[in-house]
Amino acid sequence: MTTADPVVFAVFNEIGIIDQLAQARLAKVLPDGLLVPHFTLLNHLVRVGDGRSPVDIARAFQITKGAVTNTLQRLESRGLVRLAPDPDDGRAKRVFLTPAGRAARERCIEAVADLFADIHGPLGDGPFAAALPFLRDLRQRLDKARD
């Protein structure tokens, strides 16, 4: 990045680099043999609620339904999610977290807290809390502006 780059580019560039570094760190400590996409999907279901269709999940992550189906199959085989018929469309499925899935997500959150203690400790909650309103607003604006 140069000083001539627009500030909006600089912000998204930093977010992208932070995401890469955080995911690489996260992949090393996820419990129970979970992969980052597995944790991300479990976390998404906790955040937005159960009963989403694979198509809804694929749209949310902006990935193919096939990629979601693969991840769901892996999670279902481990008992972390349950797929049920959609009551409104017999051909479609709905995804529900199992108690084991919720517990796995909680173990991941604990691992993340420990993982980032070396960064969080010296900075404290203040900078993180101060950044959250901007980051949430940015995420919501990007979400609304999707194709």
Side-chain angles (χ1 to χ4, degrees), residues 30-45 57 61 67-83 95-98 100-102 104-105 108:
L30 286 177
D32 304 324
L34 290 175
L35 302 175
V36 172
H38 302 160
F39 166 69
T40 304
L41 200 146
L42 293 174
N43 192 57
H44 176 74
L45 291 174
I57 295 168
F61 287 107
V68 169
T69 298
N70 183 305
T71 300
L72 288 173
Q73 287 171 345
R74 292 173 189 261
L75 292 172
E76 185 180 34
S77 73
R78 298 177 72 176
L80 302 177
V81 298
R82 176 178 59 83
L83 298 176
V95 182
F96 297 89
L97 278 173
T98 64
R102 288 185 191 283
R105 187 260 186 189
C108 291

